[in-house]
Amino acid sequence: MLRWIIFVLIYSVLGFYAFQALKTATKVNWLHYLYIGVSLLAVINFIYQFSVGNEGRVISISMSYAFGFLLSVMAFNLVLIIFLFSEDIIRFLAGLYTKFFGTSKEFVLPSRRRFLSLIGLGLASLPFGALLYGMAKGKYNFKVLKYELAFDDLPDAFNGYQITQISDVHSGSFDDEEKIKYAINLINEQKSDVLLFTGDMVNNIADEMEPWKDIFSKLEAKDGKYSVLGNHDYGDYVNWDSDELKEANLDKLKEIQKEIGFDLLLNDSRFLQKGSDKIALVGVENWGVGGFKKAGDLKKATANVGKDDFKILMSHDPSHWEHEVINDDYHYHLTLSGHTHGMQFGIEIPGWIKWSPIKWRYRYWAGIYKEMGQYINVNRGFGFLGYPGRVGIWPEITVITLKKKELA
Protein backbone atom coordinates (compact mmCIF):
# COMPACT_ATOMS: atom_id res chain seq x y z
CA MET A 1 0.00 0.00 0.00
CA LEU A 2 2.80 2.43 0.88
CA ARG A 3 4.37 2.11 -2.56
CA TRP A 4 1.08 3.04 -4.21
CA ILE A 5 0.69 6.09 -1.95
CA ILE A 6 4.21 7.26 -2.81
CA PHE A 7 3.60 6.62 -6.50
CA VAL A 8 0.33 8.58 -6.52
CA LEU A 9 1.93 11.50 -4.65
CA ILE A 10 4.81 11.73 -7.14
CA TYR A 11 2.44 11.32 -10.09
CA SER A 12 0.15 14.05 -8.72
CA VAL A 13 2.97 16.53 -8.12
CA LEU A 14 4.40 16.00 -11.58
CA GLY A 15 0.94 16.22 -13.13
CA PHE A 16 0.13 19.45 -11.29
CA TYR A 17 3.42 20.99 -12.41
CA ALA A 18 2.79 20.01 -16.03
CA PHE A 19 -0.77 21.34 -15.76
CA GLN A 20 0.65 24.84 -15.33
CA ALA A 21 1.74 24.86 -18.95
CA LEU A 22 -1.76 24.00 -20.09
CA LYS A 23 -3.26 26.78 -17.98
CA THR A 24 -0.75 29.27 -19.34
CA ALA A 25 -1.24 28.19 -22.95
CA THR A 26 -5.04 28.23 -23.04
CA LYS A 27 -7.98 29.45 -20.99
CA VAL A 28 -10.33 26.86 -22.53
CA ASN A 29 -11.69 25.11 -19.46
CA TRP A 30 -12.80 21.90 -21.17
CA LEU A 31 -9.19 21.24 -22.18
CA HIS A 32 -8.18 21.59 -18.53
CA TYR A 33 -10.88 19.12 -17.49
CA LEU A 34 -9.90 16.72 -20.29
CA TYR A 35 -6.29 16.69 -19.12
CA ILE A 36 -7.32 16.06 -15.52
CA GLY A 37 -9.75 13.33 -16.57
CA VAL A 38 -7.24 11.50 -18.77
CA SER A 39 -4.55 11.72 -16.08
CA LEU A 40 -6.87 10.35 -13.41
CA LEU A 41 -8.21 7.59 -15.64
CA ALA A 42 -4.70 6.46 -16.57
CA VAL A 43 -3.43 6.21 -13.00
CA ILE A 44 -6.61 4.68 -11.52
CA ASN A 45 -6.74 2.00 -14.23
CA PHE A 46 -3.05 1.25 -13.78
CA ILE A 47 -3.35 0.83 -10.01
CA TYR A 48 -6.45 -1.34 -10.41
CA GLN A 49 -4.92 -3.62 -13.05
CA PHE A 50 -1.66 -4.11 -11.21
CA SER A 51 -3.11 -4.59 -7.74
CA VAL A 52 -6.03 -6.99 -8.46
CA GLY A 53 -5.34 -10.59 -9.45
CA ASN A 54 -1.67 -9.98 -10.17
CA GLU A 55 0.35 -13.18 -9.82
CA GLY A 56 4.09 -13.52 -10.25
CA ARG A 57 5.43 -11.50 -13.15
CA VAL A 58 2.51 -12.33 -15.44
CA ILE A 59 1.21 -9.34 -17.40
CA SER A 60 -2.24 -9.70 -18.95
CA ILE A 61 -3.38 -7.81 -22.05
CA SER A 62 -5.45 -5.41 -19.93
CA MET A 63 -2.46 -4.79 -17.66
CA SER A 64 -0.21 -4.06 -20.61
CA TYR A 65 -2.67 -1.50 -21.99
CA ALA A 66 -2.97 0.11 -18.56
CA PHE A 67 0.81 0.41 -18.52
CA GLY A 68 0.87 1.75 -22.07
CA PHE A 69 -1.67 4.49 -21.39
CA LEU A 70 0.06 5.51 -18.16
CA LEU A 71 3.40 5.58 -19.98
CA SER A 72 1.90 7.87 -22.64
CA VAL A 73 0.61 10.34 -20.03
CA MET A 74 3.87 10.27 -18.10
CA ALA A 75 5.90 10.87 -21.27
CA PHE A 76 3.68 13.90 -21.99
CA ASN A 77 4.19 15.22 -18.47
CA LEU A 78 7.92 14.54 -18.44
CA VAL A 79 8.60 16.56 -21.60
CA LEU A 80 6.49 19.43 -20.26
CA ILE A 81 8.26 19.33 -16.90
CA ILE A 82 11.71 19.44 -18.50
CA PHE A 83 10.58 22.36 -20.64
CA LEU A 84 8.91 24.23 -17.75
CA PHE A 85 11.77 23.57 -15.35
CA SER A 86 14.22 25.07 -17.83
CA GLU A 87 12.00 28.13 -18.11
CA ASP A 88 11.64 28.32 -14.31
CA ILE A 89 15.42 28.42 -13.89
CA ILE A 90 15.54 31.42 -16.22
CA ARG A 91 12.61 33.03 -14.35
CA PHE A 92 14.34 32.45 -11.03
CA LEU A 93 17.59 34.00 -12.27
CA ALA A 94 15.62 36.95 -13.64
CA GLY A 95 13.98 37.38 -10.24
CA LEU A 96 17.39 37.37 -8.53
CA TYR A 97 18.71 39.92 -11.01
CA THR A 98 15.72 42.20 -10.26
CA LYS A 99 16.28 41.90 -6.50
CA PHE A 100 20.00 42.71 -6.52
CA PHE A 101 20.31 45.00 -9.51
CA GLY A 102 16.80 46.33 -10.15
CA THR A 103 15.32 49.56 -8.86
CA SER A 104 12.65 47.90 -6.68
CA LYS A 105 15.10 45.52 -4.94
CA GLU A 106 12.27 42.98 -4.67
CA PHE A 107 12.34 39.35 -5.71
CA VAL A 108 9.63 38.98 -8.36
CA LEU A 109 9.27 35.99 -10.65
CA PRO A 110 8.36 36.98 -14.21
CA SER A 111 5.16 35.43 -15.54
CA ARG A 112 5.31 32.30 -17.65
CA ARG A 113 5.44 33.06 -21.35
CA ARG A 114 2.46 31.70 -23.26
CA PHE A 115 4.36 30.96 -26.44
CA LEU A 116 6.92 28.88 -24.50
CA SER A 117 4.10 26.87 -22.92
CA LEU A 118 2.61 26.33 -26.37
CA ILE A 119 5.97 25.08 -27.65
CA GLY A 120 6.26 22.80 -24.63
CA LEU A 121 2.80 21.37 -25.25
CA GLY A 122 3.64 20.80 -28.88
CA LEU A 123 6.85 18.94 -28.02
CA ALA A 124 5.11 16.91 -25.30
CA SER A 125 2.43 15.86 -27.78
CA LEU A 126 5.04 14.10 -29.94
CA PRO A 127 5.92 11.21 -27.57
CA PHE A 128 2.33 11.10 -26.33
CA GLY A 129 1.00 10.67 -29.85
CA ALA A 130 3.80 8.31 -30.85
CA LEU A 131 3.12 5.97 -27.92
CA LEU A 132 -0.61 5.93 -28.66
CA TYR A 133 0.13 5.25 -32.34
CA GLY A 134 2.51 2.46 -31.31
CA MET A 135 -0.33 0.76 -29.44
CA ALA A 136 -2.91 1.29 -32.20
CA LYS A 137 -0.81 0.59 -35.31
CA GLY A 138 2.90 0.23 -34.66
CA LYS A 139 2.78 -3.18 -32.99
CA TYR A 140 1.58 -4.81 -36.22
CA ASN A 141 3.66 -2.72 -38.61
CA PHE A 142 5.58 -5.76 -39.86
CA LYS A 143 8.77 -5.15 -41.83
CA VAL A 144 10.73 -7.61 -43.96
CA LEU A 145 14.45 -6.92 -43.55
CA LYS A 146 16.73 -8.58 -46.09
CA TYR A 147 20.45 -9.27 -45.76
CA GLU A 148 23.02 -10.99 -47.96
CA LEU A 149 26.01 -12.58 -46.21
CA ALA A 150 29.02 -14.00 -48.03
CA PHE A 151 31.30 -16.74 -46.70
CA ASP A 152 34.53 -18.23 -48.04
CA ASP A 153 33.68 -21.74 -46.90
CA LEU A 154 29.97 -21.93 -47.65
CA PRO A 155 29.27 -25.28 -49.35
CA ASP A 156 28.74 -24.66 -53.08
CA ALA A 157 25.25 -26.14 -53.17
CA PHE A 158 24.08 -23.57 -50.61
CA ASN A 159 25.05 -20.52 -52.64
CA GLY A 160 21.86 -18.42 -52.72
CA TYR A 161 20.26 -20.39 -49.88
CA GLN A 162 17.56 -18.30 -48.21
CA ILE A 163 16.66 -18.30 -44.51
CA THR A 164 13.67 -16.63 -42.89
CA GLN A 165 14.06 -15.91 -39.19
CA ILE A 166 11.31 -14.87 -36.78
CA SER A 167 11.66 -14.44 -33.03
CA ASP A 168 9.77 -13.43 -29.88
CA VAL A 169 6.22 -14.19 -30.98
CA HIS A 170 4.76 -13.56 -27.48
CA SER A 171 1.37 -14.89 -28.52
CA GLY A 172 -0.15 -13.98 -25.15
CA SER A 173 -0.10 -10.33 -26.21
CA PHE A 174 -1.94 -10.71 -29.54
CA ASP A 175 -5.33 -9.05 -29.97
CA ASP A 176 -5.88 -8.91 -33.75
CA GLU A 177 -6.31 -12.16 -35.68
CA GLU A 178 -6.34 -10.52 -39.11
CA LYS A 179 -3.02 -8.78 -38.52
CA ILE A 180 -1.41 -12.08 -37.47
CA LYS A 181 -2.79 -13.83 -40.55
CA TYR A 182 -1.33 -11.02 -42.66
CA ALA A 183 2.08 -11.51 -41.03
CA ILE A 184 2.04 -15.27 -41.59
CA ASN A 185 1.20 -14.70 -45.27
CA LEU A 186 4.02 -12.16 -45.47
CA ILE A 187 6.46 -14.77 -44.12
CA ASN A 188 5.29 -17.34 -46.66
CA GLU A 189 5.59 -14.83 -49.50
CA GLN A 190 9.37 -14.79 -48.94
CA LYS A 191 9.49 -18.43 -50.15
CA SER A 192 12.62 -19.13 -48.14
CA ASP A 193 14.30 -22.53 -48.09
CA VAL A 194 14.11 -22.85 -44.31
CA LEU A 195 12.27 -21.10 -41.47
CA LEU A 196 14.00 -20.59 -38.12
CA PHE A 197 12.22 -19.40 -34.97
CA THR A 198 14.50 -18.23 -32.17
CA GLY A 199 12.34 -18.45 -29.07
CA ASP A 200 9.70 -16.86 -26.82
CA MET A 201 6.57 -18.31 -28.38
CA VAL A 202 4.50 -17.27 -25.34
CA ASN A 203 4.64 -14.72 -22.55
CA ASN A 204 4.18 -17.19 -19.72
CA ILE A 205 2.05 -20.29 -20.32
CA ALA A 206 1.52 -22.72 -23.17
CA ASP A 207 -2.25 -22.07 -23.34
CA GLU A 208 -1.55 -18.59 -24.75
CA MET A 209 -0.59 -20.25 -28.05
CA GLU A 210 -3.73 -22.39 -28.35
CA PRO A 211 -5.84 -19.76 -30.22
CA TRP A 212 -3.01 -19.11 -32.67
CA LYS A 213 -1.51 -22.51 -33.43
CA ASP A 214 -3.75 -23.17 -36.47
CA ILE A 215 -2.67 -19.86 -38.01
CA PHE A 216 1.03 -20.52 -37.33
CA SER A 217 0.73 -24.06 -38.66
CA LYS A 218 0.28 -22.49 -42.09
CA LEU A 219 3.93 -21.36 -42.09
CA GLU A 220 5.80 -22.94 -45.00
CA ALA A 221 9.44 -23.72 -45.81
CA LYS A 222 10.50 -26.50 -48.17
CA ASP A 223 13.48 -27.60 -46.06
CA GLY A 224 11.61 -27.45 -42.77
CA LYS A 225 10.79 -25.26 -39.78
CA TYR A 226 13.07 -25.29 -36.74
CA SER A 227 12.87 -23.61 -33.34
CA VAL A 228 14.51 -23.10 -29.97
CA LEU A 229 13.18 -21.97 -26.60
CA GLY A 230 13.41 -18.46 -25.17
CA ASN A 231 13.43 -17.37 -21.54
CA HIS A 232 9.65 -16.83 -21.45
CA ASP A 233 8.88 -20.32 -22.75
CA TYR A 234 9.93 -22.08 -19.55
CA GLY A 235 7.17 -20.59 -17.39
CA ASP A 236 9.71 -19.14 -14.96
CA TYR A 237 7.63 -15.99 -14.35
CA VAL A 238 4.53 -17.81 -13.08
CA ASN A 239 3.82 -18.73 -9.45
CA TRP A 240 3.12 -22.42 -10.08
CA ASP A 241 1.47 -24.51 -7.37
CA SER A 242 3.97 -27.31 -8.01
CA ASP A 243 7.02 -28.19 -10.07
CA GLU A 244 4.93 -30.84 -11.80
CA LEU A 245 2.52 -28.21 -13.16
CA LYS A 246 5.40 -26.12 -14.43
CA GLU A 247 6.95 -29.13 -16.17
CA ALA A 248 3.58 -30.09 -17.67
CA ASN A 249 3.24 -26.56 -19.05
CA LEU A 250 6.61 -26.81 -20.80
CA ASP A 251 5.73 -30.25 -22.16
CA LYS A 252 2.51 -28.81 -23.57
CA LEU A 253 4.38 -25.97 -25.26
CA LYS A 254 6.76 -28.48 -26.84
CA GLU A 255 3.77 -30.44 -28.13
CA ILE A 256 2.19 -27.27 -29.55
CA GLN A 257 5.40 -26.48 -31.39
CA LYS A 258 5.31 -30.00 -32.83
CA GLU A 259 1.68 -29.52 -33.91
CA ILE A 260 2.61 -26.28 -35.66
CA GLY A 261 5.35 -28.14 -37.51
CA PHE A 262 8.46 -26.90 -35.74
CA ASP A 263 11.36 -29.23 -35.06
CA LEU A 264 12.38 -27.98 -31.60
CA LEU A 265 16.13 -28.17 -31.00
CA LEU A 266 16.99 -28.57 -27.33
CA ASN A 267 20.79 -28.50 -27.24
CA ASP A 268 20.73 -30.54 -30.42
CA SER A 269 21.59 -30.29 -34.10
CA ARG A 270 20.31 -31.19 -37.56
CA PHE A 271 21.92 -31.18 -40.98
CA LEU A 272 20.48 -29.34 -43.97
CA GLN A 273 21.51 -31.46 -46.95
CA LYS A 274 21.89 -30.65 -50.65
CA GLY A 275 23.47 -33.55 -52.50
CA SER A 276 26.82 -34.17 -50.86
CA ASP A 277 26.93 -30.69 -49.30
CA LYS A 278 25.53 -29.93 -45.86
CA ILE A 279 25.08 -27.21 -43.27
CA ALA A 280 24.91 -27.92 -39.55
CA LEU A 281 21.92 -26.30 -37.86
CA VAL A 282 22.57 -26.06 -34.11
CA GLY A 283 19.95 -25.10 -31.54
CA VAL A 284 20.59 -24.40 -27.86
CA GLU A 285 18.27 -23.79 -24.95
CA ASN A 286 18.14 -20.32 -23.45
CA TRP A 287 21.41 -18.88 -22.17
CA GLY A 288 21.58 -15.29 -21.01
CA VAL A 289 23.37 -12.96 -18.61
CA GLY A 290 21.63 -10.73 -16.09
CA GLY A 291 19.74 -13.40 -14.19
CA PHE A 292 18.31 -15.25 -17.18
CA LYS A 293 18.32 -19.03 -17.47
CA LYS A 294 21.61 -20.58 -18.57
CA ALA A 295 20.44 -23.92 -19.98
CA GLY A 296 22.25 -23.64 -23.31
CA ASP A 297 25.00 -26.23 -23.83
CA LEU A 298 27.13 -25.79 -26.95
CA LYS A 299 29.12 -28.96 -26.37
CA LYS A 300 26.01 -31.10 -26.09
CA ALA A 301 24.35 -29.38 -29.03
CA THR A 302 27.33 -30.05 -31.32
CA ALA A 303 28.02 -33.63 -30.27
CA ASN A 304 27.35 -34.78 -33.85
CA VAL A 305 28.81 -31.72 -35.58
CA GLY A 306 32.33 -31.50 -36.92
CA LYS A 307 34.61 -28.57 -36.19
CA ASP A 308 34.98 -27.82 -39.89
CA ASP A 309 31.25 -28.03 -40.70
CA PHE A 310 29.53 -24.84 -41.79
CA LYS A 311 27.39 -23.95 -38.78
CA ILE A 312 24.27 -21.88 -38.15
CA LEU A 313 23.46 -21.47 -34.45
CA MET A 314 20.03 -20.64 -33.04
CA SER A 315 20.37 -19.06 -29.57
CA HIS A 316 17.63 -16.83 -28.18
CA ASP A 317 19.70 -14.34 -26.17
CA PRO A 318 22.46 -12.39 -27.97
CA SER A 319 24.48 -12.15 -24.76
CA HIS A 320 25.22 -15.85 -25.31
CA TRP A 321 27.00 -14.98 -28.56
CA GLU A 322 28.99 -12.23 -26.86
CA HIS A 323 30.06 -14.21 -23.79
CA GLU A 324 30.30 -17.79 -25.05
CA VAL A 325 29.84 -18.36 -28.77
CA ILE A 326 32.40 -16.11 -30.47
CA ASN A 327 35.15 -17.41 -28.16
CA ASP A 328 34.23 -21.08 -28.53
CA ASP A 329 36.62 -23.55 -30.14
CA TYR A 330 34.05 -24.11 -32.86
CA HIS A 331 33.56 -21.41 -35.48
CA TYR A 332 29.87 -20.51 -35.68
CA HIS A 333 29.49 -18.83 -39.05
CA LEU A 334 26.07 -17.34 -38.34
CA THR A 335 24.15 -17.03 -35.07
CA LEU A 336 20.47 -16.07 -34.99
CA SER A 337 19.06 -14.46 -31.84
CA GLY A 338 16.23 -12.24 -30.63
CA HIS A 339 15.21 -11.44 -27.04
CA THR A 340 15.87 -7.67 -26.96
CA HIS A 341 12.81 -6.57 -29.02
CA GLY A 342 14.91 -3.47 -29.74
CA MET A 343 13.05 -2.35 -26.59
CA GLN A 344 10.08 -1.79 -28.98
CA PHE A 345 11.10 1.86 -28.97
CA GLY A 346 13.77 3.81 -30.81
CA ILE A 347 14.75 5.63 -33.96
CA GLU A 348 15.85 3.87 -37.14
CA ILE A 349 16.63 5.48 -40.48
CA PRO A 350 18.48 2.89 -42.61
CA GLY A 351 21.97 4.09 -43.44
CA TRP A 352 21.69 7.03 -41.06
CA ILE A 353 20.79 6.14 -37.51
CA LYS A 354 19.89 3.14 -35.36
CA TRP A 355 19.25 3.97 -31.72
CA SER A 356 17.28 2.59 -28.81
CA PRO A 357 17.77 2.79 -25.02
CA ILE A 358 18.25 -1.00 -25.09
CA LYS A 359 21.78 -0.38 -26.41
CA TRP A 360 22.76 0.52 -22.83
CA ARG A 361 21.78 -3.01 -21.77
CA TYR A 362 22.82 -5.10 -24.79
CA ARG A 363 25.86 -4.47 -26.94
CA TYR A 364 24.29 -6.43 -29.80
CA TRP A 365 20.62 -5.49 -29.86
CA ALA A 366 19.27 -5.32 -33.43
CA GLY A 367 20.46 -6.29 -36.89
CA ILE A 368 23.67 -7.80 -38.23
CA TYR A 369 26.98 -7.69 -36.36
CA LYS A 370 30.34 -9.30 -37.11
CA GLU A 371 33.08 -10.27 -34.67
CA MET A 372 36.09 -12.54 -35.19
CA GLY A 373 34.83 -13.58 -38.62
CA GLN A 374 31.45 -14.66 -37.21
CA TYR A 375 28.05 -13.06 -37.82
CA ILE A 376 25.02 -12.62 -35.61
CA ASN A 377 21.59 -11.32 -36.51
CA VAL A 378 19.52 -10.01 -33.60
CA ASN A 379 15.91 -10.06 -34.72
CA ARG A 380 13.77 -7.19 -33.38
CA GLY A 381 10.91 -9.56 -32.63
CA PHE A 382 7.59 -10.54 -34.17
CA GLY A 383 5.40 -9.68 -31.17
CA PHE A 384 5.47 -7.38 -28.18
CA LEU A 385 5.49 -7.57 -24.40
CA GLY A 386 4.89 -5.13 -21.56
CA TYR A 387 4.21 -1.95 -23.49
CA PRO A 388 1.54 -3.13 -26.00
CA GLY A 389 3.03 -1.40 -28.98
CA ARG A 390 6.08 -0.40 -30.97
CA VAL A 391 7.50 3.01 -31.83
CA GLY A 392 10.29 3.25 -34.40
CA ILE A 393 11.46 -0.33 -33.83
CA TRP A 394 8.96 -2.31 -35.89
CA PRO A 395 8.12 -6.04 -35.76
CA GLU A 396 10.58 -7.89 -37.94
CA ILE A 397 10.69 -10.75 -40.41
CA THR A 398 14.33 -11.37 -41.33
CA VAL A 399 15.37 -12.85 -44.67
CA ILE A 400 19.05 -13.82 -44.98
CA THR A 401 20.58 -15.08 -48.22
CA LEU A 402 23.82 -17.05 -47.93
CA LYS A 403 26.41 -16.48 -50.64
CA LYS A 404 29.65 -18.20 -51.55
CA LYS A 405 32.16 -15.36 -51.53
CA GLU A 406 33.91 -16.41 -54.75
CA LEU A 407 30.53 -16.73 -56.48
CA ALA A 408 28.83 -13.70 -54.91
Side-chain angles (χ1 to χ4, degrees):
M1 177 62 71
L2 180 61
R3 63 175 181 172
W4 288 120
I5 294 174
I6 295 172
F7 170 74
V8 170
L9 285 174
I10 294 174
Y11 181 84
S12 300
V13 170
L14 296 180
F16 178 78
Y17 192 63
F19 181 62
Q20 304 308 307
L22 189 63
K23 287 182 63 179
T24 302
T26 178
K27 303 302 180 184
V28 180
N29 288 332
W30 69 266
L31 284 176
H32 302 166
Y33 297 138
L34 178 63
Y35 173 84
I36 294 171
V38 169
S39 297
L40 287 174
L41 181 63
V43 72
I44 291 171
N45 186 41
F46 178 79
I47 293 173
Y48 172 77
Q49 294 293 342
F50 279 80
S51 60
V52 177
N54 182 20
E55 297 183 6
R57 293 164 64 183
V58 176
I59 299 179
S60 65
I61 291 177
S62 59
M63 289 168 67
S64 68
Y65 274 100
F67 171 70
F69 284 121
L70 183 75
L71 183 65
S72 302
V73 172
M74 291 187 72
F76 180 85
N77 287 346
L78 183 61
V79 172
L80 268 181
I81 288 166
I82 293 172
F83 201 84
L84 289 180
F85 187 69
S86 300
E87 183 189 7
D88 283 347
I89 292 175
I90 296 174
R91 292 170 65 217
F92 179 76
L93 293 175
L96 287 178
Y97 182 86
T98 301
K99 177 175 176 59
F100 291 106
F101 301 103
T103 55
S104 65
K105 301 299 181 181
E106 293 183 5
F107 180 80
V108 179
L109 279 177
S111 300
R112 294 189 185 278
R113 298 181 182 182
R114 182 171 182 270
F115 83 94
L116 288 178
S117 293
L118 286 170
I119 293 174
L121 286 169
L123 292 175
S125 297
L126 295 178
F128 178 74
L131 288 167
L132 292 180
Y133 172 83
M135 291 190 286
K137 299 290 185 180
K139 62 188 176 185
Y140 294 127
N141 186 23
F142 295 97
K143 301 296 182 183
V144 178
L145 301 184
K146 297 186 176 184
Y147 303 98
E148 191 173 283
L149 302 179
F151 302 88
D152 290 320
D153 54 348
L154 180 72
D156 292 345
F158 286 88
N159 183 53
Y161 196 76
Q162 187 169 291
I163 300 164
T164 289
Q165 179 200 2
I166 58 173
S167 191
D168 299 89
V169 165
H170 288 289
S171 57
S173 299
F174 293 158
D175 56 8
D176 192 323
E177 183 176 325
E178 291 305 311
K179 294 295 185 182
I180 301 305
K181 287 180 177 178
Y182 163 77
I184 297 303
N185 289 334
L186 188 59
I187 292 170
N188 288 337
E189 286 174 8
Q190 308 312 310
K191 298 187 182 302
S192 290
D193 297 289
V194 68
L195 175 65
L196 306 179
F197 168 58
T198 48
D200 276 2
M201 180 165 281
V202 297
N203 294 347
N204 299 289
I205 60 174
D207 285 344
E208 294 168 2
M209 194 62 192
E210 284 287 353
W212 308 100
K213 66 182 183 181
D214 289 342
I215 297 174
F216 276 80
S217 66
K218 292 179 171 58
L219 288 167
E220 300 171 352
K222 60 183 179 180
D223 289 348
K225 303 181 290 186
Y226 300 88
S227 64
V228 293
L229 296 176
N231 57 296
H232 280 268
D233 293 324
Y234 295 91
D236 288 343
Y237 310 129
V238 178
N239 292 332
W240 299 98
D241 291 332
S242 68
D243 291 340
E244 289 76 18
L245 286 174
K246 182 179 180 181
E247 185 177 351
N249 175 74
L250 182 56
D251 288 341
K252 183 174 183 178
L253 182 62
K254 292 176 183 178
E255 184 59 32
I256 288 174
Q257 293 218 21
K258 185 177 180 181
E259 291 175 20
I260 291 172
F262 282 114
D263 184 355
L264 178 61
L265 303 183
L266 300 169
N267 293 325
D268 204 352
S269 64
R270 303 286 187 270
F271 281 98
L272 304 173
Q273 197 87 28
K274 282 186 172 294
S276 60
D277 287 341
K278 64 181 181 179
I279 284 179
L281 180 62
V282 181
V284 295
E285 295 198 51
N286 192 80
W287 192 105
V289 299
F292 292 105
K293 182 185 291 290
K294 288 183 169 67
D297 188 332
L298 286 172
K299 299 304 179 187
K300 181 179 178 181
T302 56
N304 299 315
V305 177
K307 192 171 185 178
D308 295 329
D309 286 329
F310 189 94
K311 292 175 284 297
I312 297 175
L313 173 66
M314 301 166 65
S315 180
H316 177 70
D317 192 318
S319 66
H320 187 215
W321 187 72
E322 178 183 359
H323 292 276
E324 297 280 324
V325 176
I326 57 176
N327 296 308
D328 192 80
D329 290 339
Y330 273 28
H331 181 89
Y332 293 90
H333 298 75
L334 172 62
T335 297
L336 302 176
S337 297
H339 183 63
T340 72
H341 299 206
M343 204 175 170
Q344 298 168 210
F345 177 86
I347 302 171
E348 282 199 86
I349 303 174
W352 289 87
I353 186 173
K354 183 177 76 173
W355 179 87
S356 168
I358 198 68
K359 67 177 292 184
W360 298 322
R361 173 65 176 83
Y362 289 96
R363 182 178 179 184
Y364 308 101
W365 60 273
I368 297 285
Y369 302 88
K370 185 179 182 182
E371 297 283 354
M372 298 172 63
Q374 301 168 85
Y375 288 97
I376 186 174
N377 179 63
V378 184
N379 184 284
R380 293 160 180 82
F382 182 94
F384 48 93
L385 180 69
Y387 165 62
R390 285 178 175 267
V391 178
I393 307 293
W394 311 119
E396 175 181 346
I397 298 163
T398 311
V399 177
I400 297 174
T401 302
L402 306 180
K403 289 289 188 177
K404 182 82 171 186
K405 196 167 275 189
E406 62 189 43
L407 301 176

